[in-house]
Structures are given as structure tokens and as C-alpha cells.
Amino acid sequence: MQPKPMLFSALTTALAPTISLAQTAEAMPPADEIGYIFNTFMFLVTGFLVFWMAAGFSMLEAGLVRSKNVAMQLTKNIALFSIAAIMFHLVGYNLLYPGEGWTISGVLGAFAPAVLEPVGGSAQTDLSYASVGSDFFFQMMFCATTASIVSGALAERIRLWPFLIFTLVLTGLIYPVEASWKWGGGFLDTVFGFQDFAGSTLVHSAGGWAALAGALILGPRLGKYGPGGKVNALPGSNLTLATLGTFILWLGWFGFNGGSQLYMNSAGNVADISRIFANTNAGAAGGALAALGLTQLLYRKIDLTMVLNGALAGLVSITAEPLAPSLGMAAQIGALGGVIVVIAVPLLDRLRIDDVVGAIPVHLVAGIWGTLAVLFSNDEATLVGQVVPILIVGAFVFSVSGAVWLILKATLGLRVDAEAEAKGLDRAELGMEAYPEFTNG
Amino acid sequence: MQPKPMLFSALTTALAPTISLAQTAEAMPPADEIGYIFNTFMFLVTGFLVFWMAAGFSMLEAGLVRSKNVAMQLTKNIALFSIAAIMFHLVGYNLLYPGEGWTISGVLGAFAPAVLEPVGGSAQTDLSYASVGSDFFFQMMFCATTASIVSGALAERIRLWPFLIFTLVLTGLIYPVEASWKWGGGFLDTVFGFQDFAGSTLVHSAGGWAALAGALILGPRLGKYGPGGKVNALPGSNLTLATLGTFILWLGWFGFNGGSQLYMNSAGNVADISRIFANTNAGAAGGALAALGLTQLLYRKIDLTMVLNGALAGLVSITAEPLAPSLGMAAQIGALGGVIVVIAVPLLDRLRIDDVVGAIPVHLVAGIWGTLAVLFSNDEATLVGQVVPILIVGAFVFSVSGAVWLILKATLGLRVDAEAEAKGLDRAELGMEAYPEFTNG
Amino acid sequence: MQPKPMLFSALTTALAPTISLAQTAEAMPPADEIGYIFNTFMFLVTGFLVFWMAAGFSMLEAGLVRSKNVAMQLTKNIALFSIAAIMFHLVGYNLLYPGEGWTISGVLGAFAPAVLEPVGGSAQTDLSYASVGSDFFFQMMFCATTASIVSGALAERIRLWPFLIFTLVLTGLIYPVEASWKWGGGFLDTVFGFQDFAGSTLVHSAGGWAALAGALILGPRLGKYGPGGKVNALPGSNLTLATLGTFILWLGWFGFNGGSQLYMNSAGNVADISRIFANTNAGAAGGALAALGLTQLLYRKIDLTMVLNGALAGLVSITAEPLAPSLGMAAQIGALGGVIVVIAVPLLDRLRIDDVVGAIPVHLVAGIWGTLAVLFSNDEATLVGQVVPILIVGAFVFSVSGAVWLILKATLGLRVDAEAEAKGLDRAELGMEAYPEFTNG
């Protein structure tokens, strides 16, 4: 807000002024603020990486839908992120972190908009943690991620506004409430000792359950399933974008898992964040290679979309416990995630659950696997303490989501009509095309 | 330059050597260097985010032009960034930050190439700020951003070399001079107390004014405007890329606004950067949702390109004061930016000013709005102190740019001939195509 | 793993609790850990930037191959990165950094999987450097980069599995061994005093030599070279993606070169990293502008792919010594890299060496140039100390790679048959298309 002090800097090389002791003294952060600066900056950096995942989901989904639905899918993605940003401010943040202000202790948080510390920081700041602004920024991105998972599964047939209204409920209520049960110090934490480091269950399965409820109520795309169990492939329009999206998500995941360490104010904490980065990478690599090898074995041909989803499933699998495993174990946990995807995708099709991008295998099924895999490396995890919370979160998200979807279906209607679906949502609902100059086959 | 000391690291796990006290002591930065390290690293991180905006502009513009002009648009973008990098080194940096070396005090900076501190740092370094190298790196990106704004507006008809020559003047002279009036401690700062935190006026409006002058002198694309006020839509060729570009810009903007805090050497500064990140995000979300809602209301159909430009206008709007507003106010300031775009785009068309990507509504009009909005949250801002500098910067950039455009028009010629424009600049000027295998409709 | 302490944070604004001295004390990292935190976090940030280069190579290569081979090229890229991640864990890391555990002193490192420090850090940690996890993470990305260079040169004709097996040898053996000769403290360092800051030779030329051996043994694509020295252009299918890839690589390179400083624990170190960022940028800009100007002069038309490769060659050229040159010298070193590419690309074609994306000019030829250019700015470099290691690394990588390619050719076969090549690898080998809805010309 003041003129930038390059006044000084530019001079340093030119005129080499002597530095007064007073200026030098000013340069030192008070010693008790150093840890706070480290923690806060860590949240900002990992937070912008998680923001970047919004672009990753957009590209992945735009690449995996047919070109006639691409503009709509992009619109949904940018809108859902924006809604998440506003809702997390208005209600989500305090629902998730009620502190001592629970509405129902350990179950339902507090209702109030988020308030950041004042400009210049606050004298009341707890220097052992990080700034509220950075914490809000980081946690908001998790909320948006949960909503991103839903959009892909329901693509190519759901109407825009009902989807956005669902997003509003998911980001303003469903996600913050269930996540508060663990991360806000709620009953999953205090009663069950549930271990879910960065959210295989709280974020990924939760998004997956919401997507599953939606997919069941919405029904499959026209022409996806034929008589006699026939499954028609409806290939994505742009695998380059899908691959780009996967790389973006992979990158963002370093922030997603790494930032969940919450602290970078000691050698031990930053070494742990390093472990998490390396393990997250190993999990993704394991998932990609497992899917690559398995599709080669099963189908004699490698399926790129399976490899991409394998990498993502590896990432989801390692998310519940990215710190404790060794590098080798992390790769194996991820690899099993990749195997799960290759098995679960055709299984879902057999059940005639149409999930356009594979979000349910990747986020729900691999999310459950990852949450159970915590048992192999983290002594604090117990079988009951992992399984029961998985079921509770699943039952809660699935039932509340299902209720919201059913209400939306009964009122506004969820689905575009058959003509619009055949024509494509871009021209039917938006009146525009993503690639107007390219002839469609 | 020495062999990497993983010699040691690799041993730590294998041989567990005892750490000598001497080594441990070496590990400690001198206490008075810690703030300098924080500030400098902050500039590097936020600087690479602003660099990333160059890719964002490229993708946005490549997505919004027709496919026959895509390769040219990409060429312009990579070339303008490179020119900005060189010109900011040769003259821009010291023009912008003359220190005590003004050529005309408070109005025209110093003429000399930028010189970084020597290898290993300098004993004369002012430890209360950041390294010259990091400051140069960060500020250079702002210079390039200004030029990026121009390229989109004038797309599909301007010739390459005149555009590059204009870029040279803009990045080497126009931008550094007008920005020095505030950020270099020039007369807009000392006389008017002008408040423009990260450059709604100094960067975004400035780019917008240069683009407006160019668009007026260059004239609209062939076929854009018909008789009787008819406006023909010339839809962009690839909305996925336009969306990707928007997400990239959104991400980069955290660096753009956050880094403009200049300091991260105290709890208060890092908390302020956190506020800025959160507010910047809220501004973008507000802009996107406002544009989404308003296009639905006005046209009964959502226009994805309006939503994208709404998000960008939200970002521009919050740029003049991303620190002081509350989260809610930030979202509203951004939302008004989104509204402005939806109104300004057809208005420009009525004036037959052809701005291919909407750069003038987004950067110029929302930039002015953002600079005025400072009055709502920052007590240091005054009506006169904001309005007069907006006018001065506008008059300066518009008139100098206009003169340069006119000189280029009279000498080299600005515009491709009608045949080349119809054929597309890619084949006519470059002899190549961006998508040679895809049939154009 | 514990509930996130936003319990406290949320309260800070709402309830404003008094901070106990004990909590404040906890907030301070022990003074001797601060440098370690800086170094480690720097590796994580620069490491994720280098990770991002994997996406850059993918997009660059996907954009420069014809659409019928895009899905295969993407598959190769995601698979090679995953293989590098696993192999660097299993053998590469300790081969590269044997510490005192060389198998053959100074020539062949140690065989053992990488082991990170335990959760919570280790009491044996050397606080003067960085966490093993962060070092592993950063260095792993360099290993993957080397493999990425190969995939582009051999595109559109090599079979998937032989390529992946070669990648396994390259990332598990060839790269770690030759890089250990310098960065592990091997004989290139101790005997020759070889200077290669971030790997113009050790990474880029090495990848280039492996690619050259492969290209020679594999032979050119069908139809690339006609009778009488005729060279047929086989233009890339998507120049927007190629440009995006270039910007991604440019961004990632800040991490590649900057992180190679290894330390950020003092004002001098962070100032040096700043120099490196600014110089890296200047090198890229110089390369892009030189290629732009030279193609205009030579061919009267600018070639976008040359401009992109010019930027990349500028980056490769400045990689051997990004710290010592002034900004102006960095731009000139990069510019010469850009000139080299414009000259080397047609030269390779005259030799009928078919390099689909220009990897050999960019990484091998400009890599050699960059390694020699160290002589202009770094006094520690000697002519013999630079030239002989360039030759040794070249001879080693070229001969071992050549042997592996020949074995693969004799056993599995390297090349798809002519029918598959004409049809495209996507449909022939993968049974899928990257852009199934877009008509190919």
C-alpha cells in the first residue's frame, strides 16, 4: 500500500548505502513468530496447490465427456468451485471447526460466517499455529474438492441448476458437518479414534457417496447400456486434456496431503511433510503402473484412461495415511488402488451405474481401501475405529445426498430431456459449443 | 556447484553419524537474515505464480480466437513475454524503481540496465527487504502481464512485427514510467496518496488503455459488425483452453496480489498475505457467480465465456485493495466486477470496438471499478486521490500508446490485408496451422 | 493425524483467548532447525516445480506428434514418470549418492533402496542440510526428466513395452551412475573439477545421447524422408498443447535450476537462488527471441515450433551455470542456444535422423553448448574439465543406451510394423483414440 521499497533495493547495488543497525534489527522477525510464519506460508503454498486441483478436475472431466457436453462440464466446474468458496465462508468454516461453539457437541458445529484476523494480524493470535486466513484458504480448497468429485460422475445428463443447488448443500452443510466429526474434534475423533490423515474418507469417499446417490437417482446416460447386459463405450473426447488433468491433480495432491501435516515449525514437521510428498508420489506411481500392467494382462491392450484413473486411485489410497508408510509400502498401497479401479469400473457397469469419469471407483472405492490401509502402518488405528467411521460417514453422506437429489428430482427435475441429451447439453442448455469449428464424427 | 552434499544425507539413515556442533552451528542462518530469507523466498514463489499467468493469457486467448489464428496468437504471447523479460532488464527496472536517481524527479526514472547483487549476496544488502534478484523477478512479471492484456484485444487482425514493436515500447517505457509514479515513489504517491495495492490501475487499466487505443486505430475484424448495428458472434475455437487459461490466471493471481504485500518477515505480514489470498479467491468466485446469474437472467442461457470473464473481472476488481476488505466485501467487489463485464461487453460492441477476448471490459473497466472500490475499505484512500490518478494514468497510456500505434500504422502498417485475414493469420503470416489435422467447419 | 487444531484458530477471532507463554514457546522452532526448515521446504517447492515438467513434456510431445499417436505418447509419458519414481527408490537414489558406500569408488555407487528418515525426523539428522525425504523427492524428479527427453525423439514408431524397459534401465542405472560421477562426488568431480550446476550435461545431454542412440537404431518414421534428400514435414497435431507444454517446462525450470543451489539457509543462498530464477528466465527469453528472429531472417516466416524449441534450448543452455552470469550474459547464452536449435534441426534431417520433437537439438546440442558456456562466467571451470566430462558422459550414455536398444531390438523388437505405423499407434497398439470425435485430415 506504500510505494514499494525498491527505492532501497535499487540503491543497494548502485550506491551501496551503509545499513543502519536499526534497519537490520527491523529485519528480524521476533523469534516467537518464526514458527507461525513457517506454518502459515506452508498453508498458502499447499493451499494454492489444492486450488489447482479444481483445474485438474475440470480438464479431466472435459477430456472424458463427449465434445457435445464439454462447455457444460466446464461451466459446472467453475461454478461449483465458486459456490464452495462462498458457502465455506458463509457457513462451512465454522461448521467444520466450531472450537468450543458446537450447536450439538461433537456432532453439529457452529453457525456463523468465517472471520479472518484483522489487517496487520491480531494481538490475540495463537503463534503456535497459523493465520486464520491461511487456514481458511487451505480448508476451503478441501471443501471444493469434495464437490468436484460429484460433477464428473453425473456428467452429460444432469441439468445445471439442480446440480448447483446440490453443490450448495454439499459444500455448505454435508461436507463441513461430516468432516467436523474428525477434524473439528467431533465424535469420530473422540469416540472412535478414527485415523484419516488427509481425507480418503472425509473428502474422497464423501464425494464418492454423494456421486453414487446421484448416479442411482439420475440413471445412466441414454445409450450407455443396451439389452442383454450390453455396455456401450462412450469414449471421452480429448485424452490429452484428461492426461493434463491427471497431472494437475497429481501435483495438487502434494499440497493436499502435505499441507495436512498442519505444521512446518520444526525439523520433525518439515521432514514429515517431505515423507508425505515422497509417499504421495510413490502411491500415484504405484497406482498408474498397476493399472497399466493389469489392463495389459486382462485385455492385452493398455487403456490410457485406466492408467490415469489408476494414478488417481493410488493418490486417493495413500491419502488416509501418507506419512507412516515406507516408500515401498506407499507404492504398494497405491498399486492396490490401481487394481481396484480396473476391477471396479466394469463392476459398476454390470450394476448399470453410469459414472462418466470413474469417480466412484477412484474416490469412493479406493477411498475406503485407503482408509483401511491405515491399519498396516499406523499403530493408532484400530479395525473398529476405521470401519465404523467409514460406515457412518457413508450412511450420512449417502442418505442426506440421496434425500437432496430426490427433492430436486421431485421439484425442479434433475435430468435434461432425451432430445437435449442426444443433442448435447452445450447446444441444448447453453446454446454454445466448446469446439465449434471441429467436425464431430 | 560443488558435488551435492547428499554424501551426508544418504549417510544419515545408513550410518547415523554424530553431528558435530560445528555443523549444527552452520545450519543456523544469522538471526538478522531470517526475515530477508522469508521476504525473498516469498517473492520467488509469488513471482513464479505470476509467471504462470503468461501461460494463462496464452491459453485464454488461444481458446477465444478462431482456429485459423491460434498459432499466431501463441507466437505473440510467447514473444511478448520474452520481450518484456529483456526490456525490463535493459531499462524497465530502473525506470520503475529509480531510488534517488530520477531523471525528472517523481516523473521519469533512471536509465540503466538492472544489476543484481553479486553471487553469494552483498555485504551492502539491506536485510530488512529482499534480494534484488527476487524483486526484479517478481516485478518483471508485472511488466509482462501488462503486455499480455493487449494481445488478446487486438487478435486475429494485427500483424506480428508491429505488435512486437509496440510491446517493446510498452514494456520498456510506458509501463515502467506510469508504474513508477506510484510504486517507485513518484508523484501519484507523494502528491495524491494514490492507493493501488497490486495494480488494478497501474497494471490492468494500463494494459486496457493500450488495448483500447490499439483497437480503435486497428478497427474491427472483417465480418464482426454488419450493417444496421448487427453484431456477428465469432465464437472462440476452444473453450476448454479458455477455461484452463482462466484457472491458470486465477492461480497466478494469488501470487500477483499476495506478493504485493512485499514482506513476509513477521506474523502480521504473513497473516496479511493470507487475507489477500482468501480475498482474492472470494473476488474471483463473486465475479464468476455474478456473471453466471446475470447471463441467466438477461439471456435465459448461461454464457461460459462470460462466466470466465466474470471471474477474471472479479480478480481485477479486488486487485487494487485485496487486503483491507472482509471476505464478504471482497466477494461483493468481485461480483460487481462480474456484472460490469456482462454489461460492458455488448456496450463495446454497440460502439463497434472489437475486443476479441473481452480484455477491455475485464482489465480496463473492472480495473477502474476496483480502484474506486478501494474507497469502501481503505481509509487512506480519498476520492480525489483515486479518481485523478486513474485519469492521469489513462490519459498518459492512451495517448502515448495511440501515438505509437499511429506511427506504426503510418510506417510498417498495422493490419494484415483482407485476404490474409480471411485465410487466417496462421497460414497467411506463419505458414503453419495450430490444428492441421482437424477439419474446420 | 490429530484433529486439526483449528479448534484454537477459530476461537482466536471469536473468543480471543490469552496465549499462554508455554504455547508461545512451543511456536518457536529451535534456532538450529531454522536453516534445515528453509532448505527442506525449498526442495519441496522446487521439487514440485520439477514434477510439473513431466506434464510439460507430455503436453509438448502430445502437441508435436500427429493425432493418431497422441494417446500412445501420453501413455508413455505417464508410465515413464511412474517407472522413474519406483526405480529411483529401489536403486537410483543410493547409486547416485553413495556417500561412503561406493561399490567401485568414484565410479559405481551403492546398491540399496532409499530409506527416508523416520516419522517425526531423526535425532541423527544433519541440520546443516535438508531432510532425506525432500532430497529424495527433488532428485527423483531429475531422474524422471532424463527419461522424458527420450520419449519425444522416438515417438510415433517405437513400441510401448521396449520403450518402458529401456526407461527402467535408464532411470535405474544409466542416469544415476553417470550423475554420481559429479553430484555423488565421483571422479568427474574429484579428478576433473567438472562444473555442471543443474545438469546441462548430466541430465539434458544424457537424455539426448540416449535418444540419439535410439533414433539411430530405430530409424526414421515412414514417409519422413523421401528420395533425393527430400524431407517431408509431418506437422504436430496441436500447437496450443505444445505451447502449453513449453510454458510448463519454463515454469518447472525455475525449480530445476533454483533448487540445485541446494541451500536456502542464509541471505547469500537465497540471493543466489534469486539470481538463478532471473537468469533462467533471461536464458529462455533469449532463446525464444533468437529463434524467432533467425527463422524470420532465414525463412521469411516465423516457425512457432522453432520459437518453442528456442525457449527450451535457452533453458538447457543456462542450466550448466545459471548462477554466475549476469542477466545480460544469461540472455546471450540462451540466445545462442536458440540459434543452435534453428541450425541443428535441419542438420539432423540432412543426416536422416528423425527426432519427432527436436529433443536432440534442444537437449543434447544445446546441453553441450551450455556446459561449454560455463567457461565464460565461472572461474572454477577449465576447458579440459568441461570437455572431457562431456565426452565421457556422452560415450557412456550413448554406448550403454545403444547396447540396450540393440538387445531390445534383437529380442522383443523395437518398432511397430508398417501397417500399425500408418494406422497410428493409438488404434494399432492401444485400441483407442485421443480425439475420437474429430475428423482427421
Side-chain angles (χ1 to χ4, degrees):
Chain A
M1 306 178 76
Q2 296 308 311
K4 306 201 176 186
M6 291 86 196
L7 249 55
F8 285 106
S9 310
L11 285 175
T12 52
T13 47
L15 304 184
T18 311
I19 309 296
S20 76
L21 279 174
Q23 278 176 326
T24 309
E26 269 181 336
M28 287 191 283
D32 62 357
E33 296 186 1
I34 293 171
Y36 177 92
I37 300 173
F38 275 129
N39 292 339
T40 299
F41 191 53
M42 185 275 284
F43 271 142
L44 295 179
V45 171
T46 56
F48 77 61
L49 289 177
V50 186
F51 165 80
W52 191 221
M53 293 173 74
F57 280 108
S58 300
M59 293 302 111
L60 180 69
E61 296 174 14
L64 292 182
V65 301
R66 288 165 292 173
S67 59
K68 64 183 175 182
N69 297 313
V70 166
M72 175 58 92
Q73 201 59 26
L74 295 166
T75 304
K76 283 171 183 163
N77 270 277
I78 198 160
L80 77 84
F81 182 86
S82 300
I83 289 172
I86 303 297
M87 291 308 291
F88 199 70
H89 159 50
L90 292 180
V91 282
Y93 186 62
N94 281 308
L95 266 181
L96 179 42
Y97 299 115
E100 297 177 6
W102 294 86
T103 302
I104 304 172
S105 181
V107 177
L108 184 66
F111 287 89
V115 179
L116 310 183
E117 57 269 271
V119 176
S122 162
Q124 280 83 36
T125 295
D126 178 356
L127 291 172
S128 70
Y129 190 53
S131 82
V132 180
S134 69
D135 180 46
F136 172 83
F137 182 75
F138 182 72
Q139 297 298 341
M140 195 280 286
M141 300 303 169
F142 278 59
C143 180
T145 301
T146 311
S148 294
I149 294 165
V150 181
S151 63
L154 310 182
E156 305 205 294
R157 59 214 193 273
I158 197 169
R159 290 176 52 213
L160 177 62
W161 283 101
F163 172 75
L164 295 184
I165 293 169
F166 179 81
T167 298
L168 202 131
V169 179
L170 179 69
T171 59
L173 194 74
I174 299 175
Y175 168 75
V177 167
E178 56 92 13
S180 77
W181 297 345
K182 167 67 188 172
W183 291 334
F187 76 99
L188 291 188
D189 182 62
T190 54
V191 178
F192 292 94
F194 181 47
Q195 300 297 321
D196 188 9
F197 196 92
S200 286
T201 287
L202 298 173
V203 174
H204 294 279
S205 295
W209 287 114
L212 178 62
L216 287 170
I217 291 165
L218 194 61
R221 287 169 290 175
L222 297 178
K224 176 67 186 173
Y225 301 113
K230 182 163 167 45
V231 178
N232 297 309
L234 302 174
S237 53
N238 194 324
L239 296 190
T240 321
L241 290 178
T243 304
L244 176 64
T246 302
F247 273 114
I248 292 175
L249 288 165
W250 193 326
L251 173 57
W253 231 290
F254 296 129
F256 196 91
N257 287 357
S260 294
Q261 175 74 9
L262 306 181
Y263 293 94
M264 198 178 74
N265 61 359
S266 69
N269 275 315
V270 82
D272 281 358
I273 297 175
S274 308
R275 274 183 78 91
I276 293 169
F277 270 56
N279 278 341
T280 299
N281 196 56
L289 291 179
L292 183 131
L294 195 59
T295 54
Q296 173 75 34
L297 280 176
L298 292 179
Y299 306 113
R300 317 302 308 163
K301 299 222 168 177
I302 286 165
D303 181 334
L304 172 58
T305 60
M306 283 290 187
V307 176
L308 301 179
N309 272 332
L312 296 176
L315 288 162
V316 170
S317 303
I318 201 65
T319 291
E321 185 48 77
L323 174 58
S326 67
L327 272 174
M329 187 188 275
Q332 291 170 54
I333 290 170
L336 234 146
V339 168
I340 283 170
V341 158
V342 176
I343 294 168
V345 166
L347 210 70
L348 268 183
D349 271 337
R350 206 169 309 162
L351 298 170
R352 301 197 154 218
I353 298 170
D354 184 14
D355 174 357
V356 178
V357 304
I360 295 165
V362 166
H363 297 277
L364 173 53
V365 187
I368 292 172
W369 153 241
T371 311
L372 295 175
V374 179
L375 293 162
F376 299 133
S377 64
N378 180 346
D379 289 343
E380 296 180 56
T382 64
L383 185 59
V384 169
Q386 297 300 98
V387 170
V388 178
I390 289 173
L391 297 174
I392 291 174
V393 169
F396 171 74
V397 177
F398 185 80
S399 60
V400 177
S401 296
V404 176
W405 289 126
L406 286 172
I407 292 169
L408 287 168
K409 186 176 182 176
T411 51
L412 293 172
L414 274 183
R415 201 168 167 141
V416 300
D417 61 36
E419 193 189 347
E421 188 173 340
K423 196 177 178 185
L425 275 58
D426 289 4
R427 280 193 291 158
E429 293 243 302
L430 299 179
M432 67 197 312
E433 292 176 76
Y435 310 113
E437 300 179 39
F438 305 128
T439 308
N440 294 336
Chain B
M1 305 179 77
Q2 298 307 312
K4 305 200 178 185
M6 292 85 197
L7 248 55
F8 286 107
S9 312
L11 285 175
T12 52
T13 48
L15 303 184
T18 311
I19 309 298
S20 76
L21 279 173
Q23 278 176 326
T24 309
E26 272 180 334
M28 288 191 284
D32 63 356
E33 296 186 1
I34 292 172
Y36 178 91
I37 300 173
F38 275 129
N39 292 341
T40 300
F41 190 52
M42 186 276 284
F43 271 141
L44 296 179
V45 171
T46 56
F48 76 62
L49 288 178
V50 186
F51 166 81
W52 190 221
M53 292 173 74
F57 280 107
S58 300
M59 293 302 112
L60 180 70
E61 296 173 15
L64 291 181
V65 301
R66 288 164 293 173
S67 59
K68 64 184 176 183
N69 296 314
V70 167
M72 176 57 92
Q73 202 58 25
L74 296 165
T75 304
K76 283 171 183 163
N77 269 277
I78 199 160
L80 77 85
F81 182 86
S82 301
I83 289 172
I86 303 298
M87 291 309 290
F88 200 69
H89 158 52
L90 291 180
V91 282
Y93 185 64
N94 281 308
L95 266 181
L96 178 42
Y97 300 116
E100 298 178 5
W102 293 87
T103 301
I104 304 170
S105 181
V107 177
L108 184 66
F111 287 90
V115 179
L116 310 184
E117 57 269 270
V119 176
S122 162
Q124 280 82 37
T125 294
D126 178 356
L127 290 173
S128 69
Y129 190 52
S131 83
V132 180
S134 68
D135 180 47
F136 172 83
F137 181 75
F138 181 72
Q139 297 298 341
M140 194 280 286
M141 300 304 168
F142 278 59
C143 181
T145 300
T146 310
S148 293
I149 293 166
V150 182
S151 64
L154 310 182
E156 305 204 295
R157 59 214 193 272
I158 197 169
R159 290 175 55 212
L160 177 61
W161 284 100
F163 172 75
L164 295 184
I165 293 168
F166 179 82
T167 299
L168 202 130
V169 180
L170 178 68
T171 59
L173 193 75
I174 299 174
Y175 168 74
V177 167
E178 55 93 11
S180 77
W181 296 345
K182 166 68 187 171
W183 292 335
F187 75 99
L188 292 188
D189 182 61
T190 54
V191 178
F192 292 94
F194 181 47
Q195 301 296 322
D196 188 9
F197 196 92
S200 286
T201 287
L202 299 173
V203 175
H204 294 280
S205 296
W209 287 114
L212 178 62
L216 287 171
I217 290 165
L218 193 61
R221 287 168 290 175
L222 296 179
K224 176 66 186 172
Y225 302 112
K230 182 162 167 45
V231 177
N232 298 310
L234 302 173
S237 54
N238 194 324
L239 296 189
T240 321
L241 290 177
T243 304
L244 176 64
T246 302
F247 273 115
I248 292 174
L249 288 166
W250 193 326
L251 173 57
W253 231 290
F254 296 129
F256 196 91
N257 288 357
S260 294
Q261 175 75 10
L262 306 181
Y263 293 94
M264 197 179 74
N265 61 358
S266 68
N269 275 315
V270 82
D272 282 357
I273 297 175
S274 307
R275 274 184 77 91
I276 294 168
F277 270 56
N279 278 341
T280 299
N281 196 56
L289 291 178
L292 181 131
L294 194 59
T295 53
Q296 173 74 34
L297 280 177
L298 293 179
Y299 307 113
R300 318 299 311 163
K301 300 221 168 178
I302 288 165
D303 183 332
L304 172 58
T305 61
M306 283 291 186
V307 177
L308 301 179
N309 272 334
L312 296 176
L315 288 161
V316 170
S317 303
I318 201 64
T319 291
E321 186 48 79
L323 174 58
S326 67
L327 273 175
M329 186 187 276
Q332 291 169 53
I333 290 170
L336 235 147
V339 168
I340 283 170
V341 158
V342 176
I343 293 168
V345 166
L347 209 71
L348 269 182
D349 271 337
R350 206 167 311 162
L351 298 170
R352 300 197 155 218
I353 299 170
D354 185 14
D355 173 358
V356 178
V357 304
I360 295 166
V362 166
H363 296 278
L364 173 53
V365 187
I368 292 173
W369 152 240
T371 310
L372 296 174
V374 179
L375 293 163
F376 300 132
S377 63
N378 181 347
D379 289 343
E380 296 181 55
T382 64
L383 186 59
V384 169
Q386 298 299 98
V387 170
V388 177
I390 289 172
L391 297 174
I392 291 174
V393 170
F396 172 73
V397 177
F398 185 79
S399 60
V400 178
S401 296
V404 177
W405 288 127
L406 286 172
I407 292 168
L408 288 168
K409 186 176 183 176
T411 52
L412 293 172
L414 274 183
R415 201 168 166 141
V416 299
D417 61 36
E419 193 189 350
E421 188 174 340
K423 196 177 179 185
L425 275 58
D426 290 5
R427 280 193 292 158
E429 293 244 302
L430 300 178
M432 66 197 313
E433 292 176 76
Y435 310 113
E437 300 179 39
F438 305 129
T439 308
N440 293 335
Chain C
M1 306 178 76
Q2 297 307 311
K4 306 201 176 183
M6 291 88 197
L7 248 55
F8 286 106
S9 311
L11 285 175
T12 51
T13 46
L15 304 184
T18 312
I19 309 295
S20 78
L21 279 172
Q23 278 176 326
T24 309
E26 270 181 335
M28 287 191 282
D32 63 356
E33 296 187 1
I34 292 172
Y36 177 91
I37 300 174
F38 276 129
N39 293 340
T40 300
F41 191 52
M42 185 275 284
F43 271 142
L44 296 179
V45 170
T46 55
F48 76 62
L49 289 178
V50 187
F51 165 80
W52 191 221
M53 293 173 74
F57 280 107
S58 300
M59 293 303 110
L60 180 69
E61 296 174 14
L64 291 181
V65 300
R66 288 164 294 173
S67 59
K68 64 183 176 182
N69 296 315
V70 166
M72 175 58 93
Q73 202 58 26
L74 296 166
T75 304
K76 283 171 182 161
N77 269 279
I78 198 160
L80 76 84
F81 182 86
S82 301
I83 289 171
I86 303 297
M87 291 308 290
F88 199 70
H89 159 51
L90 291 180
V91 284
Y93 186 63
N94 281 308
L95 266 179
L96 179 40
Y97 300 115
E100 298 178 6
W102 294 86
T103 301
I104 304 170
S105 182
V107 177
L108 184 66
F111 287 90
V115 178
L116 310 184
E117 57 269 272
V119 177
S122 162
Q124 280 83 38
T125 295
D126 178 354
L127 290 173
S128 71
Y129 189 52
S131 82
V132 180
S134 68
D135 180 47
F136 172 83
F137 182 76
F138 182 73
Q139 298 297 341
M140 196 281 286
M141 300 304 168
F142 278 59
C143 180
T145 300
T146 311
S148 294
I149 293 165
V150 182
S151 62
L154 310 182
E156 306 205 295
R157 59 213 194 273
I158 197 169
R159 290 176 55 212
L160 177 61
W161 284 100
F163 172 75
L164 296 183
I165 293 168
F166 179 82
T167 298
L168 202 131
V169 179
L170 178 68
T171 59
L173 194 74
I174 299 174
Y175 167 75
V177 166
E178 55 93 11
S180 77
W181 296 344
K182 166 67 186 172
W183 291 334
F187 75 99
L188 292 187
D189 182 63
T190 55
V191 178
F192 292 94
F194 180 47
Q195 301 296 322
D196 188 10
F197 196 92
S200 286
T201 287
L202 299 174
V203 175
H204 293 280
S205 296
W209 286 115
L212 179 62
L216 288 170
I217 292 165
L218 194 60
R221 288 168 290 174
L222 296 179
K224 176 67 186 173
Y225 303 113
K230 181 163 168 45
V231 177
N232 297 309
L234 301 174
S237 53
N238 193 323
L239 296 190
T240 322
L241 290 177
T243 304
L244 176 64
T246 302
F247 273 115
I248 293 174
L249 288 165
W250 193 325
L251 173 57
W253 231 290
F254 297 128
F256 196 91
N257 287 357
S260 294
Q261 175 74 8
L262 305 181
Y263 293 94
M264 197 179 74
N265 61 358
S266 68
N269 275 315
V270 82
D272 282 358
I273 297 176
S274 308
R275 275 184 78 92
I276 295 168
F277 271 56
N279 279 341
T280 299
N281 196 57
L289 291 179
L292 183 132
L294 195 58
T295 54
Q296 173 75 34
L297 280 176
L298 292 179
Y299 306 114
R300 318 301 309 162
K301 300 221 167 177
I302 287 165
D303 182 333
L304 173 58
T305 60
M306 283 291 187
V307 177
L308 301 179
N309 272 334
L312 296 176
L315 289 162
V316 170
S317 303
I318 201 64
T319 291
E321 185 48 77
L323 173 58
S326 68
L327 272 175
M329 187 187 276
Q332 291 169 55
I333 290 171
L336 234 147
V339 168
I340 283 171
V341 158
V342 176
I343 294 167
V345 165
L347 211 69
L348 268 184
D349 272 337
R350 206 169 309 164
L351 299 169
R352 302 199 154 218
I353 298 170
D354 183 14
D355 172 358
V356 178
V357 304
I360 295 166
V362 167
H363 297 277
L364 174 52
V365 187
I368 292 172
W369 152 241
T371 310
L372 296 174
V374 179
L375 293 162
F376 301 132
S377 63
N378 181 345
D379 289 344
E380 296 181 57
T382 64
L383 185 60
V384 169
Q386 297 299 98
V387 171
V388 178
I390 289 172
L391 297 174
I392 291 174
V393 169
F396 172 74
V397 176
F398 185 79
S399 61
V400 177
S401 295
V404 176
W405 288 126
L406 287 172
I407 292 169
L408 286 168
K409 185 176 185 177
T411 52
L412 292 171
L414 274 183
R415 200 169 167 139
V416 298
D417 60 35
E419 193 189 348
E421 188 173 340
K423 195 177 178 184
L425 275 58
D426 289 4
R427 280 192 293 158
E429 292 244 302
L430 298 178
M432 68 197 312
E433 291 176 76
Y435 310 113
E437 299 178 38
F438 304 129
T439 309
N440 295 335

